[in-house]
Amino acid sequence: MNAHTAGEISDTLHTAVEAAVWAPSTHNTQPWSFAVSGDEISLRADPDRKLRLADATGRQMLISCGAALFNVRIALRSLGCEPEVRRFPDPDRPLLLATIRPREGVEADEQTLSLYREVERRRTHRAGFTTARVREQVTETLMAQASTEGARLMPIRSEVEARVLAALTSAAQDVQSQDRMFGLELIRWARPPGSTRRDGVPAHGYPITRRRTYPQHFAQRDYAWGHTWGSEGEQRRSTATGLVAMLTTPGDSRHDWLAAGQALQRTLLRASACGLSAAFHTQALEMPELREFIRDHLCSGAFPQMIMRLGFVRDGAGSVRRSCSEVLEER
């Protein structure tokens, strides 16, 4: 970026990091940190924010960081820069996941700008959807977005398969809810009403009453943990399951997890641009035996990285994120 001043480069990099922090993460743990040195952004995983029980391998942590990496890329492209990305650049520093340098590129096209506009609008949903159906054309568009990043979005069109996924999700939720250590890990990221924390799941981020969804019921986490926390909103009238889908990758390495995160975020931003919200269900994938069962029986040997529902909502919950200054180190 020789044609740009140091100040312009710094502004560009800060804008990219500001976009990165809006990526989704399990329990909104935000397991990432960034460093800026010269014209380079470094993305690092933050192991202190890893779910030690639910994510012992760090798979979900890297998926979250991959989503943040995609936000960096789309922010830079929206500013007319081509991101030069090196993934896992130093084998001796396993927490360093990527370095990104902006290079002068072409003018951002409308698709890029459309995705970038959704970075702060996209929200995770934790309840049912309206009865409005996701059109097949939109589904195909989302599948193409995931494919661009080397993953596969699988719409679950079989009622039997959707029912199996729902049952496995409920079974995993029941097992985890009876495990004291799982419960303590969840409580760490559940924020009570009035909390000023900018991470974790805020009390307004889920309905006060967890209602069944139809035709398949996918169990939700109990972030209130016995308290009367939550938001009433319009969720009592939104009880549809929505479109059930899985995101899969051909392999299951750290490279695959990072790619899955980028595919997930590209898909979510396009879904948001189409007016869709997503609800995530990771419980069954956090239990190795259930994840393997899903892989063998529902994914034709591919590795499931995310189970989600997509649909339309009447009112979206707000979200919280740490500020750029809290996650960024400047050198």
Side-chain angles (χ1 to χ4, degrees):
M1 294 186 65
N2 296 330
H4 294 261
T5 67
E8 289 173 328
I9 295 173
S10 178
D11 289 346
T12 296
L13 299 184
H14 278 77
T15 297
V17 174
E18 287 170 354
V21 302
W22 286 97
S25 55
T26 307
H27 306 336
N28 196 23
T29 50
Q30 304 173 42
W32 46 63
S33 66
F34 301 87
V36 168
S37 179
D39 67 344
E40 182 178 87
I41 301 173
S42 297
L43 165 62
R44 298 172 297 194
D46 184 347
D48 290 337
R49 291 175 169 269
K50 187 181 84 166
L51 302 172
R52 300 189 183 281
L53 289 179
D55 188 28
T57 64
R59 181 183 63 86
Q60 294 187 82
M61 179 176 67
L62 262 66
I63 290 174
S64 301
C65 289
L69 174 57
F70 183 81
N71 278 3
V72 170
R73 291 168 50 204
I74 204 67
L76 291 177
R77 287 202 173 103
S78 75
L79 296 171
C81 303
E82 183 62 29
E84 182 182 278
V85 181
R86 294 178 61 210
R87 296 165 179 82
F88 303 101
D90 187 346
D92 294 327
R93 300 168 64 193
L95 295 179
L96 177 60
L97 306 183
T99 58
I100 311 100
R101 291 176 182 267
R103 298 298 184 223
E104 290 185 348
V106 297
E107 184 176 351
D109 59 22
E110 179 52 36
Q111 175 169 283
T112 295
L113 296 175
S114 173
L115 293 178
Y116 180 59
R117 285 194 292 267
E118 300 302 321
V119 165
E120 293 188 32
R121 295 177 186 171
R122 183 214 62 83
R123 293 288 185 271
T124 298
H125 191 60
R126 298 183 178 89
F129 296 110
T130 70
T131 56
R133 300 178 67 86
V134 181
R135 291 184 293 118
E136 186 62 30
Q137 181 181 359
V138 172
T139 302
E140 291 176 357
T141 297
L142 299 183
M143 293 169 66
Q145 295 294 307
S147 179
T148 298
E149 299 295 332
R152 181 187 178 197
L153 183 70
M154 293 176 51
I156 306 301
R157 296 186 171 93
S158 163
E159 183 178 341
V160 171
E161 292 184 352
R163 199 161 60 238
V164 168
L165 277 178
L168 292 173
T169 299
S170 294
Q173 174 64 28
D174 286 345
V175 169
Q176 291 179 0
S177 67
Q178 297 301 308
D179 188 307
R180 181 174 178 274
M181 298 308 294
F182 262 97
L184 291 174
E185 186 168 72
L186 182 71
I187 290 172
R188 179 190 174 192
W189 298 103
R191 303 291 176 240
S195 173
T196 59
R197 290 287 301 266
R198 306 300 295 175
D199 58 7
V201 180
H204 61 261
Y206 50 86
I208 194 169
T209 302
R210 291 181 295 162
R211 301 181 185 277
R212 293 188 63 83
T213 56
Y214 299 92
Q216 298 87 24
H217 175 62
F218 280 76
Q220 289 286 345
R221 310 271 191 183
D222 182 12
Y223 289 104
W225 203 251
H227 297 86
T228 55
W229 300 345
S231 173
E232 185 62 39
E234 293 293 321
Q235 295 308 324
R236 63 185 178 275
R237 295 193 297 169
S238 299
T239 57
T241 304
L243 173 67
V244 181
M246 280 194 292
L247 187 76
T248 70
T249 53
D252 204 33
S253 68
R254 284 161 51 86
H255 288 267
D256 292 296
W257 300 343
L258 199 67
Q262 294 174 87
L264 176 65
Q265 183 65 348
R266 178 184 281 274
T267 302
L268 294 176
L269 294 179
R270 176 54 61 202
S272 181
C274 295
L276 294 169
S277 294
F280 304 120
H281 298 278
T282 61
Q283 298 99 314
L285 302 184
E286 293 167 357
M287 304 183 72
E289 61 275 24
L290 294 186
R291 184 170 182 243
E292 189 64 22
F293 179 91
I294 292 169
R295 180 194 174 206
D296 289 342
H297 295 279
L298 300 176
C299 299
S300 301
F303 292 89
Q305 305 295 354
M306 182 60 69
I307 299 170
M308 69 186 93
R309 296 180 296 114
L310 297 161
F312 297 94
V313 301
R314 288 189 174 91
D315 55 348
S319 187
V320 294
R321 290 296 188 278
R322 291 181 293 163
S323 67
C324 182
S325 62
E326 292 179 271
V327 302
L328 177 61
E329 172 190 345
E330 299 195 61
R331 300 169 180 170

